Amino acid sequence: MQSLKDLGEYLPATVVVTILLFLIKEFLECLRKRSERIRKISAIKILIAEELERNHWALVSMFRVLNILKEAFQKYPRAVFWLHIARDGSEHFRIKEKPEDEYSSGCVIPKYCTVMYERLLPTLAELDKSLFEVVRKTYEAIIELNHYRQILTDFLAGEDLAPYRDMTKHFLSDLADEKDDYYKILSEGYKALTGKDLESWKLR
């Protein structure tokens, strides 16, 4: 306050008022930008967290298929399995423990989602670098899972690309044991966004 009084002694009142108004305006602008940044980060957290819940469902579903296949490889050497494409384009795993069985069982193999990640990552990188790094690490695991999902669906469709089909069978059997490792990465990313462990999932 003393500095403002001293300033008033040397400058006209109108100049002092102009300076004060400028400082108040700058202060309010800083508050507005901070509030907008917090609002944007909050919205990004919600959208990416919801996408992670969908990816959690994809993770649970894919590893259910992998475990069924692993058991079939060990216990049912005559089992037949294939990829069924539904009318809506979704991909489903089907299996018969014996070729002569009348009915098959199975489940859907949902795709992993990266739409929100790809759309929002540049903005997140500008707003919160530490959260950006956590989310990027999480989605590196999801992109890897998506690659493994493609190997799985190719295998079920009879389009195995490995030199020997048994090599892919061994790979898928080993992959079945890695669910907890991938879940941990997804859960850490989800916790950074929401403060909670990843327990819920969205079907779509």
Side-chain angles (χ1 to χ4, degrees):
M1 290 300 292
Q2 185 61 41
S3 61
L4 289 176
K5 288 180 180 179
D6 294 341
L7 188 62
E9 293 179 3
Y10 297 101
L11 296 175
T14 54
V15 175
V16 175
V17 170
T18 300
I19 293 172
L20 286 174
L21 289 175
F22 172 78
L23 292 174
I24 292 170
K25 180 181 177 182
E26 287 297 305
F27 175 71
L28 293 175
E29 181 65 13
C30 287
L31 287 180
R32 185 191 67 79
K33 287 182 177 179
R34 181 175 181 276
S35 177
E36 183 178 358
R37 176 179 174 275
I38 292 173
R39 180 183 59 79
K40 285 183 178 179
I41 292 175
S42 178
I44 289 172
K45 284 181 176 181
I46 292 170
L47 292 171
I48 294 182
E50 288 180 348
E51 187 165 78
L52 283 180
E53 289 173 0
R54 289 192 287 274
N55 284 320
H56 184 206
W57 173 241
L59 175 81
V60 169
S61 301
M62 187 179 88
F63 277 89
R64 180 186 299 132
V65 173
L66 289 170
N67 279 290
I68 293 171
L69 279 175
K70 181 177 181 177
E71 183 180 22
F73 296 155
Q74 296 171 347
K75 296 183 178 180
Y76 308 106
R78 297 179 60 230
V80 292
F81 31 81
W82 64 96
L83 185 70
H84 171 72
I85 310 296
R87 286 180 295 176
D88 63 0
S90 59
E91 295 170 316
H92 298 251
F93 163 69
R94 306 302 302 171
I95 184 170
K96 290 183 179 182
E97 293 178 359
K98 299 176 183 177
E100 62 269 21
D101 289 345
E102 184 176 358
Y103 298 105
S104 64
S105 60
C107 58
V108 67
I109 316 174
K111 295 180 179 179
Y112 292 93
C113 308
T114 59
V115 175
M116 287 296 120
Y117 167 74
E118 292 167 4
R119 182 184 303 169
L120 299 172
L121 193 67
T123 304
L124 183 59
E126 294 177 8
L127 298 174
D128 191 324
K129 187 170 180 9
S130 60
L131 183 59
F132 158 78
E133 292 295 344
V134 174
V135 171
R136 187 162 65 100
K137 177 184 176 183
T138 303
Y139 273 84
E140 283 176 354
I142 290 171
I143 291 168
E144 190 172 90
L145 284 167
N146 199 43
H147 172 66
Y148 294 151
R149 180 189 179 279
Q150 188 63 52
I151 293 174
L152 171 62
T153 54
D154 286 348
F155 175 79
L156 294 174
E159 300 174 5
D160 185 22
L161 300 178
Y164 304 102
R165 191 166 175 80
D166 281 348
M167 289 180 64
T168 305
K169 292 171 76 170
H170 289 309
F171 171 78
L172 294 175
S173 293
D174 291 341
L175 181 61
D177 298 327
E178 297 182 22
K179 178 185 176 182
D180 290 345
D181 295 334
Y182 283 105
Y183 168 76
K184 181 180 178 182
I185 296 173
L186 265 64
S187 187
E188 287 174 352
Y190 187 80
K191 194 163 191 174
L193 294 164
T194 67
K196 299 182 292 186
D197 291 327
L198 180 57
E199 295 177 349
S200 58
W201 55 64
K202 289 183 180 293
L203 303 186
R204 58 175 64 187

